[in-house]
Amino acid sequence: MGVGAALATQDPPRTPPLFLGYKGAGWVWGGSGPVAGAVRRSGSQSLVAPSWEGCSCAGSATLPGEMQRAKKGILERLDAGEIVIGDGGFVIALEKRGYVKAGPWTPEAAVEHPEAVRQLHREFLRAGSNVLQTFTFYASEDKLENRGNYVAETISCKTVNEAACDIAKEVAKEGDALVAGGVSQTPSYLSGKDEAEVKAIFRKQLEVFAKKNVDFLIAEYFEHVEEAAWAVETLKESGKPVAVTMCIGPEGDLHGVPPGKCAVQLVKAGACIVGVNCHFDPETCLRTVKLMKEGLEAANLKAHLMSQPLAFHTPDCGKQGFIDLPEFPFALEPRIVTRWDVQKYAREAYKLGIRYIGGCCGFEPYHIRAIAEELAPERGFLPPASEKHGSWGNALSMHTKPWVRARARKEYWENLLPASGRPYCPSMSKPDDWGVTKGAAELMQQKESTTEQQLKELFEKQKFKSNIVA
Amino acid sequence: MGVGAALATQDPPRTPPLFLGYKGAGWVWGGSGPVAGAVRRSGSQSLVAPSWEGCSCAGSATLPGEMQRAKKGILERLDAGEIVIGDGGFVIALEKRGYVKAGPWTPEAAVEHPEAVRQLHREFLRAGSNVLQTFTFYASEDKLENRGNYVAETISCKTVNEAACDIAKEVAKEGDALVAGGVSQTPSYLSGKDEAEVKAIFRKQLEVFAKKNVDFLIAEYFEHVEEAAWAVETLKESGKPVAVTMCIGPEGDLHGVPPGKCAVQLVKAGACIVGVNCHFDPETCLRTVKLMKEGLEAANLKAHLMSQPLAFHTPDCGKQGFIDLPEFPFALEPRIVTRWDVQKYAREAYKLGIRYIGGCCGFEPYHIRAIAEELAPERGFLPPASEKHGSWGNALSMHTKPWVRARARKEYWENLLPASGRPYCPSMSKPDDWGVTKGAAELMQQKESTTEQQLKELFEKQKFKSNIVA
Amino acid sequence: MGVGAALATQDPPRTPPLFLGYKGAGWVWGGSGPVAGAVRRSGSQSLVAPSWEGCSCAGSATLPGEMQRAKKGILERLDAGEIVIGDGGFVIALEKRGYVKAGPWTPEAAVEHPEAVRQLHREFLRAGSNVLQTFTFYASEDKLENRGNYVAETISCKTVNEAACDIAKEVAKEGDALVAGGVSQTPSYLSGKDEAEVKAIFRKQLEVFAKKNVDFLIAEYFEHVEEAAWAVETLKESGKPVAVTMCIGPEGDLHGVPPGKCAVQLVKAGACIVGVNCHFDPETCLRTVKLMKEGLEAANLKAHLMSQPLAFHTPDCGKQGFIDLPEFPFALEPRIVTRWDVQKYAREAYKLGIRYIGGCCGFEPYHIRAIAEELAPERGFLPPASEKHGSWGNALSMHTKPWVRARARKEYWENLLPASGRPYCPSMSKPDDWGVTKGAAELMQQKESTTEQQLKELFEKQKFKSNIVA
Amino acid sequence: MGVGAALATQDPPRTPPLFLGYKGAGWVWGGSGPVAGAVRRSGSQSLVAPSWEGCSCAGSATLPGEMQRAKKGILERLDAGEIVIGDGGFVIALEKRGYVKAGPWTPEAAVEHPEAVRQLHREFLRAGSNVLQTFTFYASEDKLENRGNYVAETISCKTVNEAACDIAKEVAKEGDALVAGGVSQTPSYLSGKDEAEVKAIFRKQLEVFAKKNVDFLIAEYFEHVEEAAWAVETLKESGKPVAVTMCIGPEGDLHGVPPGKCAVQLVKAGACIVGVNCHFDPETCLRTVKLMKEGLEAANLKAHLMSQPLAFHTPDCGKQGFIDLPEFPFALEPRIVTRWDVQKYAREAYKLGIRYIGGCCGFEPYHIRAIAEELAPERGFLPPASEKHGSWGNALSMHTKPWVRARARKEYWENLLPASGRPYCPSMSKPDDWGVTKGAAELMQQKESTTEQQLKELFEKQKFKSNIVA
C-alpha cells in the first residue's frame, strides 16, 4: 500500500474523499473511487531502478518495536530499490516561525514549543517524507552550553533529545515514515578535543536514541571526515543502520580530503548510506555525491547514496559553503529555490542513482512535495499534500484572471527565469573566505558569551565584500 | 502591562523565565527579573505620536463578550495613538505548508486541517500581531464554487466561515489580539452582477461573523472601489468598526479611480480605517497610502490609515500588481523581502502616520516580528517571538564561525545588497498586461472547470515575456 | 540620386564595384550593375511620410556657396519629408581615441590633432550622417578657460572654432552632408551672468560660423530653456536656420519647465527644429520629444522634431541625466547600446514623426549606420559603410564556426537579451542627486584649477552610492 | 630617452608644449620644462624586474634596416627586462568604424581605406603601444576566398599584406614602435589539410613580411597547438624572432592539450615569446599564461611571456571562448571592460612576470593607454595620449558639476561596480557548446557562400539559450 493510501485512512477526515491517478501530463486528484487501484500506476514496478546488492549492515531487517511492525526498515526499502524521501530543514524553517534562534541554532523548541515542532514534522510527512529526523541538530551537550547558550544548564541535553524523539515518533504514526535519530558536528572537535572526548559527546545523544528505539541513525553536517567517521563508529555501537552526510562540496572536507576518499572512509567506518547535506545548492551537492560514488566504485565498496542539499542557489560558494556568503543567514531570500528547481534536482539525483533524496536548510514542505511529485511516476503515488497542488501548475486553471490560467502548464514554469525585483543587487556574491578550520583560536568552544571586545576584533577583521555598502 | 508581559503568563511554560529590556543598541532578552518595569522603556509614551480625533464609528467602545473584557477595541487603540500590528499572508504561507491550493486559493483548510491554521495564527500572535484575521479570504459562496472548486458543494460556505472564526478566537485568547472577520473581492462583481446580488454575497459571511461576535471587520483585496464601497456598506450593517483595504497601486483602481478618491469614497461609505493590502511591495503600498492620505486631507475627512503590503519586491509591476508578473505564483522566491526590508517598511509607514501596520501575501511570522522589533522603541515592548531573535542580528555573536559573528551588527545588515545566486536571471520582469477588468468575458464566474479548449486559447493569447525562454 | 550613389563616385576607389538592393529579408551589397536602379526600391516614395507645412524660417531655400550648390538645405530636406540622419558623439569617441580630456571635454583636438577629427567625421559620413556638426562643443571662450583649462589662453577660442569648421567642410565635400555650426551651454549662465553677457559668448562662436558660411546652426545641450532661448535668439541673427536641442528628460529643465513648454518657448524664439540631445537613453529621449510635440500641437505651433540621445542605457536616471550616474564618465561601458537597440530607436523615432534622427555621447559610427539601415526601406538606399555590414547579421553566414553562422538572422538579434559578464554588478544604479543648478556656488565658473581643499569638501559631501564599495 | 619624450619631438606641433611627471597620487602633465628629467622617476630602475637569461633566437640583436637604427629589437627590450606594450584589436574596432565586415573579418581595408587603418595604428601608438602589428589578421589566401569572400579574387592576398606592412611601417616611424608581421589560424587546417599545405599558406604571407623587412613575427589566434607549431616553424625560416599566442583558456587547446604542454611544444618549435590572445577576458587569460609558465618551468625551458586578452568580461565561457557566447559578435557591449579593469589586468600581468602586455578584440586605444598608465611607475614615463587623460580620473576636477568633481580619485573608480542599465538582462550567458573542431564537416572551407539550405539546418541545430527569448 502506498504512502498516500496509508495516510488516507489516518488523516483527519477530509471532504470529499480523494484519490489520485496518473493521466498523461500529470498526476491528479479526482472525486472518489478505489484508492489502491488508482494509486499504483500499472507497470510502475518496471520504472523502479533495480537495486544493486544491499549493504550488509546488521539490523537492516530486524527493526523491533510495536508500532513499526507494518513499516519496512530503511535498508529494506533502499535494498529493494525504493525511493526514500527525506525531510527538509528544521532550524531555518522554525527560525522563521519564531522558535529557533539564529546564531546558536539549538533545538530547545522541542521542549519549549512542542506544538510547533510537531506541526512542521506533520507538514513534511504530508509532503511525502519517508523519514522524520528527530529535531536534535546541534543538541550535543557542548553546543547547548556554547557562547552563552542557556539550554544545557536550564533544560539539559537529555530532556531536549528525549522530547525531540517523542514528537517525531508521535507524528510518524500518522503515515509511512521512519524515525531517524540525528547527531551533528560538535564544538568539541573544532576545539581540538580528542577522539574519546568527541565520541563521548555523541554517545550521550545515542543513549536517548537507543532508549527511544528510533528506526535508524543519521550523522549529518560534518565538515571534517575524521569527526564524521568518529560519529559513525559511535552510532554503530547501537546495532542500527547508520547514514552519514557531510556538508562538503566538490573540493572536499576542510582538511582537503576529497569527496571520494571521504565516502570510502565513512563506509569503512560502518555507514550503509553516505552522501552530503547542507552548505551547497542542489546542483553542487549532486556533483559532490557523484565524486563520492566514483570514489566508492574505485574502491569496490557499496553503499546507498543520499543527498539533502540547501534550498538556496549558491553557485558563488567556496569550500566553506553558504556560511561564507554575505547573505547568511538573514538575507538569503533571493536565493531560495523554486519548486521547479527542486523537481529538476529530484530528477537529476534519481538519474545519478541516489535513492535517499531529501533537503536541508531552506527546504520547506512544498519543496519536499516537489521531490515526491517529480518522482511520482517511478513511485506510483503522490503524497497527501498534493491534494492541494496542481502538478506543474495545472490548478491555475481555476484562477480568476485569464493570464494566470494561461500559466497552467509545465512548459511555462520549466522555462521561466525568475526575476529578483532587486535592480540594485548583484547576481552573485563574493564570499567571505577566512580559511580557518579545526583548531583555530576563533573556533574554540567558549561557554561565556562573545565579549564586546572579541566582536570588535572580528568586525575589524571582516573585509567588507563587494555587495555590502559601507 | 505590555503585550509581551500579558503573553508571558499565558504562553506554555518556558524555561527559563524571560524578560526583555532595551539596552542601547537593541532590545534583548535576559535571565529573570521584574517584567513590567523592564518592558516599558522610560519615556516611551513620549514617542507615541499623538492621535488625531477618532472616527465616530458606532461600537468602537462597546465590544461585548466575556473574553474580550480585558482587551481594548481596535478604535480605542488607534484613537489612543497606539500602533496596531496586523498579521501576515495566510494563503501563500499555507500553500507552502501544503494546505491551500494555488489557483482557487480558498480557505477550506479551516475545516480540513484546523491544526495547521491554528498553528499559523499562533505564530503570528507570537510575532507580535494584535489582530488575527479569520481565515475567510475568498470564502464567499460564489468563489467556493467557481471553476470546478468543490468547497461550496461538499463543505459549505457557512461551515468554512464558522470554523475560521472558531480557530481565530481560540488563538486570540492566548494573547492581546483582536479577531477581525474578513471579506474580499467576489467573482460575482467581476461577472457584472448588480449591487444587490454582490451585497447578498457579503451578507452571508457577515451573518457568521455576527453570530461569532468577532471584534471588528475588514473588507480587503478590492480592485474596484465600487465593490469595496458595497462591502463597507454591507459590513456596517453589523454596527462593528469596519476597516477596508484595496489592492491598488498609485495608479488607482482598475476603473482608473485614483487612490485619493477611493479613500474618500470608502470613508463616506462608513469605513473608519482605510488603506491598501496585497498586490504591491511595501514601498509601492506606502506611496499609495500617501495618496489616500492626501485625498482624505483635501476632502477634510478623517480615518485611520492601514497598510498590509506584499513581502515581495515588485518595482516592475503595472496597475494590476504582482499577478501580472511572470513569476506569480510559483517562482516569486527571489523577490521575497528580508526582515531588514520589513524594518525599513515599518519605519517609513510609521513616519507616514500609518498606525495599523501589517502584511499580506509572503509575510511570514518573522516578517511580522520585524515590524514589532522596529517599532519596539515606540511601543515599549518586544513580541514573544523576539525571545528567539537577536535584534539586528546580535545573536550571531553566538555563532561558531568567527566571520559570522562579525555580522552581529546593524550596519552590516542595513547595508547589505543581497545577491540572488541566479546569474542567468534578470533583475526585473516585463509583466503581463492584458488590461481586462470587470465585465470581460474571461473574468466571468464559471462553475465548471476550465476546459482544455479554453486553456488552449489562453496559452495562445499569452505573449511569452522577456524572461521566459521558449 | 541617393546618398549611397552620390558617395560611390566620390569615395576612394573600391574593389570590386558595389551596389545595393533590397531583397526581402534585408538590404544587400552585390557584385556589379547599374547603381541608381538598384538603389531605389520601387514604391519607396510612398513609404516617406508626407511632410506637414514647412516652418517659415528665412534662408531655408537660399543657402549660398559654390560647393553647396548640389546640396539641398536642411529645411528643404525636412520640408520635403526626407529623413535627415545626424552624427554621433565626438567628445566621448575622441576621448577613447586619445584626443579629448574627460573633465573639461573641450575640442582643442581640432587644432592639435586635425587628422583624428577628420577621420571621425569621415566615419560618420560613411555611416550615413547627413549633417556634420563642427567639433565646437564647449568651444565657448568661458569654457576654454574654466577650472585650469589652458585652451583659451594658448590656442584661443577663435582658432579652435575656425579649425573645426574647416575640417567639417572639407569632409562634407566627400558626400551628401551639410555642415552645422554648434554652440552649447555656457559656464557663464551657470554662474548667473546676465542675458547680454551670455549672448556675447555665443556671438563669438557665431562670428566664425558666419565667416565660414556653415549650412545651418545648432544650439545643443542646454539644461535650462532660458539659456537655450538666448542661444536661439543669438544664432538667428545670422539668418540661417536654427535647430535647438535640450539635454532634458520628461521631467523638464533644471528649473522645472516641462518639455512641452520648453519647445513652445524655443520655437517662439526662432527655432525651426527642436528636440533633445544627450543626457538620456533613446527610450527616454523619445518620451521627452513626444511631450515637446504635444506641447507644440497644443500651442498650434509647428517645427521639425529632432532627437540625438545617448548610446547608453539610462533607465535609472533622474532629472539630471547620466551625469548623475555613478558610472559617468569612466565606467559606462556596460550601458552601451547595441546596434539592434539603435534600430529599435530609429524605428520608434520615425513612428513618432521625428525626421532629424541622430545620436550624442556614445554613438559610434556603427550606431549611426544602424539608423541608416533601419530606415533604408523608407529612404531607398543604404549608407556606404553598409558595404561592410550584413543587415541584421546576415554576413555571419561567412563565419568559420557553424554556430555563429546560425546567428545570421534578424530574429536571433532582435530577441537577444545580452548578458554583462559581470556577476557582481547590479543592473541599475542609484544616481547621485545633489539637486544643484544655475547659481549654486559649486557651479560657478572658476579660472583656476579646483584646489585640493575644494576636492576634499566634495569627497566628503559625496554620499557613496549603492554599487560603490568602500 | 623614454617613449613619451621620443614622440614629443615627432608628433604634430602641440600647443602648449607638454611634459609629464609623477606627483604622489598620479602622473600629471604640466606646462613646460625639461622633459627627460621629469619623465624618469628616480629609482624607477629598481622597480624593473630583473630579466632571466634571454632566449637564444637568431637575429635578436641584429635587426637591420635604416629607420630601425635607433630602435631596440623586441628581444633586446624583453631581455633587458623592459615592459613591451602591445596594441589592441583591429577587426572589432574597424568593424565599428565601418571598415571591416563581421563574419569574414578580413583586412582588405588596408587596401580599400588605408587612412582608417593608419589612424587606428596612430591611436594605439599614441596610447603607448611599442608594437604595431600589421593588419594582416585572416589575410591568408584560403581565408580571403572562403564562403563567398571576394578579396582573394579581386584584390589578392599579396596586395593586402603589402598594404598592411606599408601602413604599419609608416606609422611606426612616428614613435618608438616595432612592426610585427602577423599570421593566424587558417581554414585549411580546420578543413583537415596536411602540414605541407598549411605551411604553404603561412609562407605566402611570410614572403611579404620578409620583403617588407618587418621587425619580428607573431603567429596568433591558434585553437590547436599543432597548427601553431607549424606556423612557428614556418615563420622561423625568416631568421626573425617569433612570438606565438594561442586563443585558448585554462582547459587547453581544442584537442585537449593543456596550456603548459602547448607552451613547451611552441618553444621547442622555435618561439621566443609565448602566450595567449583573444577568446577570453583578462582574468582568464592570465590564468592560462600562468599554466604555460608553470609548464615551461617544469620542462626547464625559457621564453618571454605575452598576453593579449579580450576587452570583454567572459566568466561564463567554456573552452571555445567568447565565440560561444550568445552575444558574439553584435551584442558584446555590456561586457566591455573599463579602463580600470585594464589597469588591474596590467598590474596582475606584470606581477605574473609577463612583459609583453597588450590586448586583442575590444581593446580600444584608451584600454592600451590604461596599461601604459598603470605601469608608468615601473617604466618611468607616460604615453603621449596621457596628455588627454587624468590619471585615475583626476582631470574630473575640471568638470562643471561638483558631484562629478567628487569622482576625481582612485578609490572611487577602483571600487565602483558598474551597473548595466539593463534590468531585463541576466548577468551571465549560457554559451553555445557545439563541441566541433578541426575536421568537422561544418568547419570545412567552402569557397561559395553559405546556402539558404545550409543556414536553415544551422538555425534548427541552434538551441536557443537562456537569455534569448523566442
Side-chain angles (χ1 to χ4, degrees), chain D residues 426-460:
Chain D
S427 66
M428 300 218 292
S429 279
K430 294 198 186 135
D432 282 335
D433 189 16
W434 286 29
V436 296
T437 187
K438 182 200 170 187
E442 289 153 325
L443 292 176
M444 290 297 154
Q445 187 182 12
Q446 170 184 312
K447 285 196 190 181
E448 322 74 56
S449 299
T450 307
T451 64
E452 286 294 311
Q453 180 54 31
Q454 287 177 318
L455 278 177
K456 253 188 210 162
E457 286 164 21
L458 294 175
F459 294 165
E460 263 158 51

Side-chain angles (χ1 to χ4, degrees), chain B residues 55 90 205 228 254 364 450 462:
Chain B
C55 129
F90 271 63
Q205 288 186 265
L254 292 193
E364 298 275 351
T450 308
Q462 186 185 48

Side-chain angles (χ1 to χ4, degrees), chain B residues 387-402:
Chain B
E387 152 194 25
K388 294 292 176 188
H389 191 241
S391 170
W392 284 108
N394 69 29
L396 293 181
S397 62
M398 296 170 77
H399 200 276
T400 310
K401 307 286 184 179

Side-chain angles (χ1 to χ4, degrees), chain B residues 402-461:
Chain B
W403 63 93
V404 179
R405 294 203 293 278
R407 297 173 189 165
R409 50 176 168 163
K410 187 177 179 188
E411 312 82 66
Y412 182 90
W413 296 108
E414 214 170 28
N415 292 308
L416 182 73
L417 292 171
S420 71
R422 286 171 169 85
Y424 305 131
C425 292
S427 65
M428 300 219 292
S429 280
K430 294 195 187 138
D432 282 334
D433 189 16
W434 286 29
V436 296
T437 188
K438 181 199 172 186
E442 290 153 325
L443 291 176
M444 290 297 155
Q445 186 183 12
Q446 171 184 312
K447 284 196 192 181
E448 320 74 55
S449 299
T450 308
T451 65
E452 285 296 310
Q453 181 53 31
Q454 286 177 319
L455 279 178
K456 254 189 211 163
E457 286 164 20
L458 294 175
F459 294 163
E460 263 159 51
K461 183 164 175 183

Side-chain angles (χ1 to χ4, degrees), chain C residues 57-380:
Chain C
C57 293
S60 79
T62 58
L63 292 175
E66 64 302 342
M67 82 197 156
Q68 300 290 349
R69 217 161 288 164
K71 291 182 189 172
K72 290 198 281 180
I74 185 67
L75 293 177
E76 271 183 291
R77 296 175 191 223
L78 292 170
D79 290 350
E82 282 181 29
I83 295 164
V84 170
I85 297 181
D87 55 10
F90 270 64
V91 292
I92 293 276
L94 288 173
E95 197 278 335
K96 290 185 179 171
R97 297 184 185 194
Y99 300 100
V100 162
K101 193 166 201 164
W105 300 112
T106 48
E108 60 275 13
V111 175
E112 294 172 355
H113 300 283
E115 73 287 359
V117 178
R118 188 181 303 118
Q119 177 61 22
L120 184 56
H121 272 309
R122 183 175 289 132
E123 293 169 13
F124 282 125
L125 184 69
R126 264 179 64 77
S129 295
N130 301 124
V131 176
L132 303 189
Q133 274 188 248
T134 57
F135 183 41
T136 53
F137 178 78
Y138 270 175
S140 63
E141 190 153 57
D142 53 350
K143 186 72 186 146
L144 296 174
E145 65 177 358
N146 198 19
R147 296 191 176 274
N149 199 335
Y150 64 87
V151 182
E153 197 179 323
T154 59
I155 304 184
S156 98
C157 168
K158 185 159 162 281
T159 307
V160 171
N161 281 277
E162 285 179 350
C165 288
D166 289 343
I167 298 169
K169 294 191 74 164
E170 180 189 339
V171 179
K173 285 186 209 162
E174 298 175 11
D176 181 36
L178 302 171
V179 170
V183 301
S184 45
Q185 166 171 283
T186 63
S188 295
Y189 181 79
L190 291 179
S191 301
K193 301 245 168 107
D194 68 19
E195 180 175 343
E197 288 171 300
V198 172
K199 283 186 165 175
I201 290 282
F202 296 132
R203 209 167 279 123
K204 278 192 191 151
Q205 287 185 267
L206 181 60
E207 278 163 18
V208 177
F209 301 147
K211 190 175 87 180
K212 295 292 182 180
N213 195 22
V214 300
D215 296 317
F216 71 106
L217 299 163
I218 300 179
E220 68 172 1
Y221 195 75
F222 287 93
E223 294 176 318
H224 305 82
V225 68
E226 181 183 48
E227 187 186 15
W230 293 350
V232 169
E233 287 162 7
T234 309
L235 297 182
K236 284 299 294 177
E237 298 169 2
S238 68
K240 289 185 189 292
V242 174
V244 60
T245 50
M246 295 186 69
C247 51
I248 60 171
E251 293 181 66
D253 92 343
L254 292 192
H255 285 143
V257 185
K261 285 203 176 170
C262 289
V264 166
Q265 188 171 342
L266 294 170
V267 171
K268 287 185 174 167
C272 303
I273 306 167
V274 293
V276 297
N277 81 313
C278 207
H279 272 207
F280 296 94
D281 61 16
E283 195 183 0
T284 309
C285 281
L286 293 184
R287 279 190 287 130
T288 312
V289 175
K290 189 162 180 284
L291 292 171
M292 288 184 155
K293 185 186 179 187
E294 291 165 0
L296 291 173
E297 284 170 357
N300 230 359
L301 285 171
K302 288 195 169 176
H304 295 285
L305 299 173
M306 173 173 178
S307 76
Q308 308 222 84
L310 298 178
F312 303 111
H313 289 287
T314 65
D316 35 8
C317 269
K319 198 174 186 172
Q320 176 66 67
F322 83 141
I323 289 177
D324 263 12
L325 294 176
E327 292 83 10
F328 177 84
F330 292 135
L332 290 164
E333 282 83 350
R335 296 176 176 269
I336 300 172
V337 303
T338 66
R339 59 196 74 196
W340 321 117
D341 292 329
V342 172
Q343 291 204 214
K344 279 181 205 160
Y345 151 65
R347 178 58 51 199
E348 292 306 312
Y350 181 80
K351 281 191 200 161
L352 191 57
I354 301 173
R355 288 298 175 270
Y356 191 138
I357 304 174
C360 196
C361 294
F363 264 78
E364 298 277 349
Y366 76 106
H367 289 118
I368 293 296
R369 179 175 60 191
I371 301 175
E373 294 194 351
E374 176 64 29
L375 299 174
E378 281 76 15
R379 306 177 88 208

